[in-house]
Amino acid sequence: KRQICYLPTGGGKTRIAAALFSVVESRGKRAAFVCNRIELVQQASAALSAHGIRHGVIQGDNSFSVTAPVLVCSIQTIARRGMPMVDFIIVDEAHSCAGSEAYRDLFARNNNIPIIGLSATPFSKGLGKHYPAMFGPMFESIVVGATIPELIDGGFLVDVDIYAPSEPDLTGVKIVAGDYEEKGLGEAVDKPRLIGDIVSHYLRLANGKRTIVFATNVAHSQHVVATFQESGIDARHVDGYMPEDERRPIIDAFKRGEFSILSNCSLLAEGFDCPETEAIILARPTKSLIRYIQMAGRALRPHHSKDRALILDHSGTVRRLGFPTDELPLVLDDGKPKPKAEERDKTKVCKSCFAVRPRNVKACPVCGFEPVPTPKEIEQEAGELKK
């Protein structure tokens, strides 16, 4: 009754939901699709309409058709108002469930019906943990639809080229809950030299490409945008504090291709669907594999305007966590402490062109540069060979 369906970003999770809802409706049952943000409620409603699924919405003042057989629900709204009785629940972005009291309450109140989670990153801490008031773990197993390499091989996602031209000095930045503390991180990265490097490398490697920037906080994102604009590049900023009627037109204009650079800090990391996005600029360092995969996934959806995606990493994240197209640890976390793995560089950066390659590849596949190893002086010591 508690399963997570894993598919990468762009793998078809909403199509699976629509197919399941059509079965539910044909049997005279009721179902709910639960989302954790307003934008995802709107996006899910539009997708279900496109698939011909009759549904209603429970989301603040935007609620309608609440007696429909399928309901798209905001977790915040149903946490306050409660949710009508349903026979089946699908949870979008299910990796966010474990850290949320509202989701734990939803699971506890619906222990007797099937709940399926959808996620491109189903390895967040505690997803397979037993919680008080729940009979069993939050989720019991993962069903793997396809992996990122499989979808790239089949043409359902695009592969990615990565350049890592610069990296901030994070000495002294604290680690809180497994990731960099935001205030100290903002101070480390929000510097004119680092932001100027972002702009200069965009002009050299991605000029004209439709690009999403992931900054550290709102102020950092705004400074990045201002620096792009000073260079004559049309860049704009969005954040979660902006009114919906101000934020939505900017996002829609980006999707229409009216400007090239859309910057944010975390608003667009989950569920944002714009296949025309060609490049990602990582200006926010992270130790979180979930955050990294979600950010990178915004550019992997295929579109006729691109053959490959591009990531410009100004955060050191690729070095720490590897390529976003690597195989992922698709195992549910039971919340128990794990032995701390030794952190080591997962990739190498070409000293000539800054292209990123796997550690076991000697020559740069982009420019052909191969570093010459420095010979070490041989030390000798007297001794006797023994069997």
Side-chain angles (χ1 to χ4, degrees):
K1 290 185 177 178
R2 299 282 187 274
Q3 299 185 61
I4 281 191
C5 172
Y6 162 76
L7 272 172
T9 298
K13 292 184 287 295
T14 308
R15 287 174 178 260
I16 288 177
L20 291 169
F21 287 148
S22 68
V23 174
V24 169
E25 187 177 3
S26 70
R27 295 179 180 177
K29 304 290 188 179
R30 299 194 76 196
F33 189 78
V34 181
C35 306
N36 61 357
R37 289 209 320 274
I38 294 175
E39 288 83 4
L40 298 185
V41 170
Q42 296 168 341
Q43 190 168 290
S45 177
L48 292 182
S49 294
H51 290 295
I53 304 297
R54 291 191 305 123
H55 67 279
V57 168
I58 299 179
Q59 188 270 304
D61 296 334
N62 300 317
S63 302
F64 63 86
S65 302
V66 295
T67 60
V70 175
L71 297 170
V72 180
C73 307
S74 157
I75 184 62
Q76 292 84 3
T77 301
I78 61 175
R80 293 192 305 268
R81 301 179 188 173
M83 186 175 70
M85 294 292 292
V86 296
D87 305 291
F88 174 55
I89 295 174
I90 293 180
V91 176
D92 195 26
E93 306 295 349
H95 51 272
S96 61
C97 289
S100 165
E101 185 176 339
Y103 276 114
R104 290 199 293 269
D105 183 63
L106 174 71
F107 277 63
R109 290 174 181 273
N110 293 277
N111 257 316
N112 296 320
I113 68 171
I115 299 179
I116 290 180
L118 304 176
S119 178
T121 51
F123 34 82
S124 57
K125 189 172 182 179
L127 274 186
K129 178 181 176 181
H130 288 68
Y131 288 91
M134 289 177 55
F135 303 107
M138 179 163 275
F139 288 104
E140 298 167 330
S141 62
I142 295 176
V143 176
V144 178
T147 64
I148 293 177
E150 288 172 346
L151 291 181
I152 290 174
D153 289 343
F156 300 105
L157 293 178
V158 297
D159 208 341
V160 62
D161 296 318
I162 304 177
Y163 291 81
S166 62
E167 185 175 334
D169 182 2
L170 302 180
T171 304
V173 178
K174 297 178 181 177
I175 306 298
V176 177
D179 206 355
Y180 297 107
E181 184 265 326
E182 188 170 302
K183 184 175 183 295
L185 188 62
E187 293 172 355
V189 302
D190 195 1
K191 297 179 177 179
R193 182 184 62 80
L194 292 174
I195 295 175
D197 197 49
I198 289 172
V199 175
S200 64
H201 280 90
Y202 169 82
L203 289 171
R204 186 166 73 83
L205 297 168
N207 195 6
K209 292 184 181 292
R210 209 175 311 187
T211 302
I212 296 176
V213 179
F214 287 101
T216 296
N217 52 35
V218 171
H220 184 215
S221 177
Q222 291 171 334
H223 293 158
V224 170
V225 166
T227 307
F228 270 114
Q229 291 174 343
E230 289 168 3
S231 299
I233 301 167
D234 192 353
R236 304 179 197 180
H237 159 85
V238 290
D239 61 61
Y241 301 101
M242 298 170 70
E244 171 69 8
D245 58 357
E246 181 181 344
R247 180 174 65 237
R248 176 51 52 189
I250 297 175
I251 293 175
D252 289 344
F254 176 76
K255 288 184 174 182
R256 291 192 299 267
E258 295 178 10
F259 63 97
S260 298
I261 308 284
L262 180 61
S263 183
N264 75 115
C265 50
S266 58
L267 183 71
L268 306 178
E270 288 183 354
F272 179 67
D273 183 5
C274 180
E276 296 88 345
T277 301
E278 299 170 87
I280 299 293
I281 294 177
L282 297 179
R284 189 216 190 281
T286 183
K287 285 177 170 286
S288 167
L289 182 61
I290 290 176
R291 186 192 295 269
Y292 171 46
I293 295 298
Q294 292 285 349
M295 290 189 296
R298 297 314 109 198
L300 299 185
R301 290 178 183 269
H303 192 262
H304 63 80
S305 62
K306 64 187 181 187
D307 297 320
R308 296 174 69 85
L310 177 66
I311 292 178
L312 304 184
D313 181 22
H314 294 264
S315 65
T317 301
V318 175
R319 175 181 60 80
R320 284 185 294 271
L321 301 179
F323 280 75
T325 52
D326 291 342
E327 296 284 2
L328 299 173
L330 300 176
V331 178
L332 286 174
D333 183 273
D334 59 7
K336 297 177 182 178
K338 306 291 188 301
K340 190 173 182 180
E342 181 183 354
E343 186 170 292
R344 61 188 295 271
D345 291 353
K346 298 288 185 69
T347 59
K348 290 192 290 189
V349 177
C350 176
K351 295 181 179 180
S352 176
C353 72
F354 304 114
V356 180
R357 65 187 187 276
R359 286 194 60 80
N360 59 351
V361 177
K362 291 184 178 181
C364 175
V366 175
C367 70
F369 176 78
E370 182 174 356
V372 179
T374 304
K376 294 182 179 179
E377 184 178 345
I378 298 174
E379 296 181 0
Q380 299 185 21
E381 184 176 340
E384 180 182 349
L385 293 177
K386 294 182 179 180
K387 183 176 180 179

